[in-house]
PDB file of all heavy atoms in Angstrom:
ATOM      1  N   ARG A 192     -17.316  -8.237   2.590  1.00  0.00           N
ATOM      2  CA  ARG A 192     -16.012  -8.767   3.011  1.00  0.00           C
ATOM      3  C   ARG A 192     -15.707 -10.056   2.261  1.00  0.00           C
ATOM      4  O   ARG A 192     -16.464 -11.023   2.347  1.00  0.00           O
ATOM      5  CB  ARG A 192     -16.032  -9.019   4.524  1.00  0.00           C
ATOM      6  CG  ARG A 192     -16.381  -7.770   5.320  1.00  0.00           C
ATOM      7  CD  ARG A 192     -16.740  -8.065   6.752  1.00  0.00           C
ATOM      8  NE  ARG A 192     -17.315  -6.886   7.392  1.00  0.00           N
ATOM      9  CZ  ARG A 192     -17.994  -6.920   8.537  1.00  0.00           C
ATOM     10  NH1 ARG A 192     -18.161  -8.078   9.167  1.00  0.00           N
ATOM     11  NH2 ARG A 192     -18.493  -5.806   9.038  1.00  0.00           N
ATOM     12  N   PRO A 193     -14.605 -10.080   1.529  1.00  0.00           N
ATOM     13  CA  PRO A 193     -14.290 -11.248   0.679  1.00  0.00           C
ATOM     14  C   PRO A 193     -14.265 -12.567   1.427  1.00  0.00           C
ATOM     15  O   PRO A 193     -14.639 -13.601   0.867  1.00  0.00           O
ATOM     16  CB  PRO A 193     -12.904 -10.894   0.126  1.00  0.00           C
ATOM     17  CG  PRO A 193     -12.821  -9.412   0.208  1.00  0.00           C
ATOM     18  CD  PRO A 193     -13.606  -9.011   1.410  1.00  0.00           C
ATOM     19  N   ASN A 194     -13.864 -12.566   2.698  1.00  0.00           N
ATOM     20  CA  ASN A 194     -13.764 -13.816   3.448  1.00  0.00           C
ATOM     21  C   ASN A 194     -15.101 -14.311   3.982  1.00  0.00           C
ATOM     22  O   ASN A 194     -15.217 -15.462   4.403  1.00  0.00           O
ATOM     23  CB  ASN A 194     -12.780 -13.659   4.617  1.00  0.00           C
ATOM     24  CG  ASN A 194     -11.353 -13.476   4.142  1.00  0.00           C
ATOM     25  OD1 ASN A 194     -11.000 -13.893   3.049  1.00  0.00           O
ATOM     26  ND2 ASN A 194     -10.539 -12.834   4.962  1.00  0.00           N
ATOM     27  N   ASP A 195     -16.115 -13.440   3.990  1.00  0.00           N
ATOM     28  CA  ASP A 195     -17.409 -13.810   4.567  1.00  0.00           C
ATOM     29  C   ASP A 195     -18.512 -14.014   3.532  1.00  0.00           C
ATOM     30  O   ASP A 195     -19.552 -14.582   3.854  1.00  0.00           O
ATOM     31  CB  ASP A 195     -17.886 -12.731   5.554  1.00  0.00           C
ATOM     32  CG  ASP A 195     -17.007 -12.647   6.786  1.00  0.00           C
ATOM     33  OD1 ASP A 195     -16.398 -13.669   7.139  1.00  0.00           O
ATOM     34  OD2 ASP A 195     -16.934 -11.561   7.384  1.00  0.00           O
ATOM     35  N   THR A 196     -18.303 -13.512   2.320  1.00  0.00           N
ATOM     36  CA  THR A 196     -19.376 -13.490   1.338  1.00  0.00           C
ATOM     37  C   THR A 196     -19.362 -14.726   0.437  1.00  0.00           C
ATOM     38  O   THR A 196     -18.338 -15.393   0.285  1.00  0.00           O
ATOM     39  CB  THR A 196     -19.278 -12.222   0.478  1.00  0.00           C
ATOM     40  OG1 THR A 196     -20.431 -12.118  -0.360  1.00  0.00           O
ATOM     41  CG2 THR A 196     -18.034 -12.244  -0.401  1.00  0.00           C
ATOM     42  N   THR A 197     -20.524 -15.005  -0.146  1.00  0.00           N
ATOM     43  CA  THR A 197     -20.606 -16.049  -1.172  1.00  0.00           C
ATOM     44  C   THR A 197     -20.739 -15.451  -2.561  1.00  0.00           C
ATOM     45  O   THR A 197     -20.847 -16.185  -3.538  1.00  0.00           O
ATOM     46  CB  THR A 197     -21.826 -16.951  -0.912  1.00  0.00           C
ATOM     47  OG1 THR A 197     -23.022 -16.150  -0.966  1.00  0.00           O
ATOM     48  CG2 THR A 197     -21.728 -17.631   0.449  1.00  0.00           C
ATOM     49  N   ILE A 198     -20.744 -14.107  -2.642  1.00  0.00           N
ATOM     50  CA  ILE A 198     -20.914 -13.431  -3.925  1.00  0.00           C
ATOM     51  C   ILE A 198     -19.563 -13.387  -4.647  1.00  0.00           C
ATOM     52  O   ILE A 198     -18.605 -12.780  -4.161  1.00  0.00           O
ATOM     53  CB  ILE A 198     -21.495 -12.016  -3.738  1.00  0.00           C
ATOM     54  CG1 ILE A 198     -22.893 -12.118  -3.119  1.00  0.00           C
ATOM     55  CG2 ILE A 198     -21.549 -11.264  -5.061  1.00  0.00           C
ATOM     56  CD1 ILE A 198     -23.549 -10.793  -2.832  1.00  0.00           C
ATOM     57  N   HIS A 199     -19.499 -14.014  -5.805  1.00  0.00           N
ATOM     58  CA  HIS A 199     -18.239 -14.135  -6.535  1.00  0.00           C
ATOM     59  C   HIS A 199     -17.670 -12.773  -6.915  1.00  0.00           C
ATOM     60  O   HIS A 199     -16.446 -12.576  -6.897  1.00  0.00           O
ATOM     61  CB  HIS A 199     -18.450 -14.987  -7.792  1.00  0.00           C
ATOM     62  CG  HIS A 199     -17.202 -15.132  -8.628  1.00  0.00           C
ATOM     63  ND1 HIS A 199     -16.132 -15.899  -8.222  1.00  0.00           N
ATOM     64  CD2 HIS A 199     -16.863 -14.585  -9.834  1.00  0.00           C
ATOM     65  CE1 HIS A 199     -15.172 -15.827  -9.143  1.00  0.00           C
ATOM     66  NE2 HIS A 199     -15.597 -15.037 -10.124  1.00  0.00           N
ATOM     67  N   PHE A 200     -18.525 -11.827  -7.255  1.00  0.00           N
ATOM     68  CA  PHE A 200     -18.070 -10.493  -7.671  1.00  0.00           C
ATOM     69  C   PHE A 200     -17.223  -9.842  -6.580  1.00  0.00           C
ATOM     70  O   PHE A 200     -16.191  -9.216  -6.846  1.00  0.00           O
ATOM     71  CB  PHE A 200     -19.282  -9.614  -8.002  1.00  0.00           C
ATOM     72  CG  PHE A 200     -18.953  -8.334  -8.715  1.00  0.00           C
ATOM     73  CD1 PHE A 200     -18.866  -8.290 -10.097  1.00  0.00           C
ATOM     74  CD2 PHE A 200     -18.713  -7.165  -8.006  1.00  0.00           C
ATOM     75  CE1 PHE A 200     -18.557  -7.102 -10.758  1.00  0.00           C
ATOM     76  CE2 PHE A 200     -18.405  -5.982  -8.654  1.00  0.00           C
ATOM     77  CZ  PHE A 200     -18.332  -5.956 -10.042  1.00  0.00           C
ATOM     78  N   VAL A 201     -17.660 -10.005  -5.332  1.00  0.00           N
ATOM     79  CA  VAL A 201     -16.917  -9.428  -4.208  1.00  0.00           C
ATOM     80  C   VAL A 201     -15.588 -10.151  -4.024  1.00  0.00           C
ATOM     81  O   VAL A 201     -14.536  -9.526  -3.840  1.00  0.00           O
ATOM     82  CB  VAL A 201     -17.761  -9.497  -2.923  1.00  0.00           C
ATOM     83  CG1 VAL A 201     -16.943  -9.035  -1.712  1.00  0.00           C
ATOM     84  CG2 VAL A 201     -19.026  -8.662  -3.059  1.00  0.00           C
ATOM     85  N   LYS A 202     -15.600 -11.458  -4.072  1.00  0.00           N
ATOM     86  CA  LYS A 202     -14.370 -12.232  -3.891  1.00  0.00           C
ATOM     87  C   LYS A 202     -13.325 -11.896  -4.952  1.00  0.00           C
ATOM     88  O   LYS A 202     -12.119 -11.899  -4.693  1.00  0.00           O
ATOM     89  CB  LYS A 202     -14.685 -13.724  -3.935  1.00  0.00           C
ATOM     90  CG  LYS A 202     -15.439 -14.247  -2.722  1.00  0.00           C
ATOM     91  CD  LYS A 202     -15.662 -15.740  -2.829  1.00  0.00           C
ATOM     92  CE  LYS A 202     -16.310 -16.289  -1.569  1.00  0.00           C
ATOM     93  NZ  LYS A 202     -15.405 -16.224  -0.392  1.00  0.00           N
ATOM     94  N   GLU A 203     -13.792 -11.592  -6.161  1.00  0.00           N
ATOM     95  CA  GLU A 203     -12.874 -11.348  -7.270  1.00  0.00           C
ATOM     96  C   GLU A 203     -12.260  -9.957  -7.237  1.00  0.00           C
ATOM     97  O   GLU A 203     -11.096  -9.788  -7.587  1.00  0.00           O
ATOM     98  CB  GLU A 203     -13.611 -11.555  -8.596  1.00  0.00           C
ATOM     99  CG  GLU A 203     -12.707 -11.402  -9.813  1.00  0.00           C
ATOM    100  CD  GLU A 203     -13.430 -11.697 -11.120  1.00  0.00           C
ATOM    101  OE1 GLU A 203     -14.667 -11.936 -11.086  1.00  0.00           O
ATOM    102  OE2 GLU A 203     -12.766 -11.691 -12.170  1.00  0.00           O
ATOM    103  N   TRP A 204     -13.034  -8.943  -6.797  1.00  0.00           N
ATOM    104  CA  TRP A 204     -12.590  -7.567  -6.985  1.00  0.00           C
ATOM    105  C   TRP A 204     -12.272  -6.798  -5.700  1.00  0.00           C
ATOM    106  O   TRP A 204     -11.619  -5.759  -5.745  1.00  0.00           O
ATOM    107  CB  TRP A 204     -13.651  -6.780  -7.754  1.00  0.00           C
ATOM    108  CG  TRP A 204     -14.018  -7.362  -9.081  1.00  0.00           C
ATOM    109  CD1 TRP A 204     -15.193  -7.954  -9.428  1.00  0.00           C
ATOM    110  CD2 TRP A 204     -13.196  -7.426 -10.257  1.00  0.00           C
ATOM    111  NE1 TRP A 204     -15.181  -8.372 -10.728  1.00  0.00           N
ATOM    112  CE2 TRP A 204     -13.950  -8.058 -11.274  1.00  0.00           C
ATOM    113  CE3 TRP A 204     -11.900  -7.008 -10.563  1.00  0.00           C
ATOM    114  CZ2 TRP A 204     -13.470  -8.286 -12.547  1.00  0.00           C
ATOM    115  CZ3 TRP A 204     -11.412  -7.229 -11.834  1.00  0.00           C
ATOM    116  CH2 TRP A 204     -12.186  -7.858 -12.808  1.00  0.00           C
ATOM    117  N   VAL A 205     -12.722  -7.284  -4.550  1.00  0.00           N
ATOM    118  CA  VAL A 205     -12.589  -6.512  -3.306  1.00  0.00           C
ATOM    119  C   VAL A 205     -11.404  -7.003  -2.482  1.00  0.00           C
ATOM    120  O   VAL A 205     -11.221  -8.208  -2.298  1.00  0.00           O
ATOM    121  CB  VAL A 205     -13.891  -6.591  -2.474  1.00  0.00           C
ATOM    122  CG1 VAL A 205     -13.717  -5.904  -1.125  1.00  0.00           C
ATOM    123  CG2 VAL A 205     -15.054  -5.964  -3.248  1.00  0.00           C
ATOM    124  N   ARG A 206     -10.611  -6.054  -1.982  1.00  0.00           N
ATOM    125  CA  ARG A 206      -9.484  -6.373  -1.106  1.00  0.00           C
ATOM    126  C   ARG A 206      -9.914  -6.387   0.357  1.00  0.00           C
ATOM    127  O   ARG A 206      -9.594  -7.292   1.098  1.00  0.00           O
ATOM    128  CB  ARG A 206      -8.360  -5.355  -1.324  1.00  0.00           C
ATOM    129  CG  ARG A 206      -7.130  -5.542  -0.453  1.00  0.00           C
ATOM    130  CD  ARG A 206      -5.923  -4.832  -1.059  1.00  0.00           C
ATOM    131  NE  ARG A 206      -6.191  -3.425  -1.318  1.00  0.00           N
ATOM    132  CZ  ARG A 206      -5.824  -2.428  -0.504  1.00  0.00           C
ATOM    133  NH1 ARG A 206      -5.184  -2.704   0.619  1.00  0.00           N
ATOM    134  NH2 ARG A 206      -6.092  -1.178  -0.819  1.00  0.00           N
ATOM    135  N   TRP A 207     -10.606  -5.318   0.789  1.00  0.00           N
ATOM    136  CA  TRP A 207     -11.116  -5.234   2.155  1.00  0.00           C
ATOM    137  C   TRP A 207     -12.563  -4.751   2.108  1.00  0.00           C
ATOM    138  O   TRP A 207     -12.895  -3.835   1.356  1.00  0.00           O
ATOM    139  CB  TRP A 207     -10.300  -4.260   3.011  1.00  0.00           C
ATOM    140  CG  TRP A 207      -8.907  -4.709   3.304  1.00  0.00           C
ATOM    141  CD1 TRP A 207      -7.763  -4.288   2.711  1.00  0.00           C
ATOM    142  CD2 TRP A 207      -8.499  -5.679   4.270  1.00  0.00           C
ATOM    143  NE1 TRP A 207      -6.666  -4.931   3.218  1.00  0.00           N
ATOM    144  CE2 TRP A 207      -7.094  -5.793   4.199  1.00  0.00           C
ATOM    145  CE3 TRP A 207      -9.182  -6.467   5.200  1.00  0.00           C
ATOM    146  CZ2 TRP A 207      -6.369  -6.656   5.002  1.00  0.00           C
ATOM    147  CZ3 TRP A 207      -8.454  -7.324   6.009  1.00  0.00           C
ATOM    148  CH2 TRP A 207      -7.062  -7.406   5.906  1.00  0.00           C
ATOM    149  N   GLY A 208     -13.402  -5.354   2.932  1.00  0.00           N
ATOM    150  CA  GLY A 208     -14.795  -4.939   2.994  1.00  0.00           C
ATOM    151  C   GLY A 208     -15.028  -3.883   4.062  1.00  0.00           C
ATOM    152  O   GLY A 208     -14.099  -3.418   4.723  1.00  0.00           O
ATOM    153  N   ALA A 209     -16.286  -3.501   4.219  1.00  0.00           N
ATOM    154  CA  ALA A 209     -16.663  -2.462   5.173  1.00  0.00           C
ATOM    155  C   ALA A 209     -16.710  -3.021   6.593  1.00  0.00           C
ATOM    156  O   ALA A 209     -17.016  -4.191   6.809  1.00  0.00           O
ATOM    157  CB  ALA A 209     -18.018  -1.875   4.787  1.00  0.00           C
ATOM    158  N   GLY A 210     -16.446  -2.155   7.573  1.00  0.00           N
ATOM    159  CA  GLY A 210     -16.496  -2.533   8.975  1.00  0.00           C
ATOM    160  C   GLY A 210     -17.838  -2.190   9.600  1.00  0.00           C
ATOM    161  O   GLY A 210     -18.745  -1.662   8.940  1.00  0.00           O
ATOM    162  N   PRO A 211     -17.978  -2.468  10.903  1.00  0.00           N
ATOM    163  CA  PRO A 211     -19.250  -2.195  11.587  1.00  0.00           C
ATOM    164  C   PRO A 211     -19.685  -0.735  11.525  1.00  0.00           C
ATOM    165  O   PRO A 211     -20.883  -0.448  11.547  1.00  0.00           O
ATOM    166  CB  PRO A 211     -18.957  -2.617  13.038  1.00  0.00           C
ATOM    167  CG  PRO A 211     -17.848  -3.613  12.929  1.00  0.00           C
ATOM    168  CD  PRO A 211     -17.010  -3.152  11.778  1.00  0.00           C
ATOM    169  N   ARG A 212     -18.715   0.201  11.453  1.00  0.00           N
ATOM    170  CA  ARG A 212     -19.105   1.607  11.378  1.00  0.00           C
ATOM    171  C   ARG A 212     -19.935   1.894  10.133  1.00  0.00           C
ATOM    172  O   ARG A 212     -20.781   2.791  10.128  1.00  0.00           O
ATOM    173  CB  ARG A 212     -17.858   2.506  11.405  1.00  0.00           C
ATOM    174  CG  ARG A 212     -18.196   3.997  11.513  1.00  0.00           C
ATOM    175  CD  ARG A 212     -16.948   4.871  11.533  1.00  0.00           C
ATOM    176  NE  ARG A 212     -16.332   4.854  12.845  1.00  0.00           N
ATOM    177  CZ  ARG A 212     -15.036   4.713  13.062  1.00  0.00           C
ATOM    178  NH1 ARG A 212     -14.212   4.520  12.046  1.00  0.00           N
ATOM    179  NH2 ARG A 212     -14.549   4.740  14.279  1.00  0.00           N
ATOM    180  N   ALA A 213     -19.711   1.126   9.067  1.00  0.00           N
ATOM    181  CA  ALA A 213     -20.509   1.297   7.854  1.00  0.00           C
ATOM    182  C   ALA A 213     -21.971   0.955   8.115  1.00  0.00           C
ATOM    183  O   ALA A 213     -22.884   1.642   7.627  1.00  0.00           O
ATOM    184  CB  ALA A 213     -19.949   0.423   6.727  1.00  0.00           C
ATOM    185  N   GLY A 214     -22.216  -0.105   8.880  1.00  0.00           N
ATOM    186  CA  GLY A 214     -23.584  -0.467   9.215  1.00  0.00           C
ATOM    187  C   GLY A 214     -24.257   0.590  10.064  1.00  0.00           C
ATOM    188  O   GLY A 214     -25.437   0.930   9.858  1.00  0.00           O
ATOM    189  N   GLN A 215     -23.514   1.134  11.028  1.00  0.00           N
ATOM    190  CA  GLN A 215     -24.051   2.216  11.849  1.00  0.00           C
ATOM    191  C   GLN A 215     -24.403   3.423  10.979  1.00  0.00           C
ATOM    192  O   GLN A 215     -25.475   4.031  11.138  1.00  0.00           O
ATOM    193  CB  GLN A 215     -23.019   2.625  12.908  1.00  0.00           C
ATOM    194  CG  GLN A 215     -22.710   1.540  13.920  1.00  0.00           C
ATOM    195  CD  GLN A 215     -21.503   1.876  14.776  1.00  0.00           C
ATOM    196  OE1 GLN A 215     -20.660   2.702  14.400  1.00  0.00           O
ATOM    197  NE2 GLN A 215     -21.402   1.227  15.931  1.00  0.00           N
ATOM    198  N   ALA A 216     -23.498   3.752  10.056  1.00  0.00           N
ATOM    199  CA  ALA A 216     -23.730   4.907   9.176  1.00  0.00           C
ATOM    200  C   ALA A 216     -24.935   4.680   8.279  1.00  0.00           C
ATOM    201  O   ALA A 216     -25.734   5.602   8.041  1.00  0.00           O
ATOM    202  CB  ALA A 216     -22.486   5.166   8.335  1.00  0.00           C
TER     203      ALA A 216
END
């Protein structure tokens, strides 16, 4: 999630990150 991460790659290229269902999966 761009708003929660410190990884620049994610902040630069991602619009929306995965939700809790992704963790369950």
Side-chain angles (χ1 to χ4, degrees):
R192 303 166 191 164
N194 292 335
D195 293 333
T196 188
T197 61
I198 297 178
H199 178 71
F200 192 88
V201 174
K202 289 182 175 292
E203 183 176 5
W204 303 110
V205 175
R206 179 160 54 98
W207 292 102
R212 187 180 282 135
Q215 295 169 339

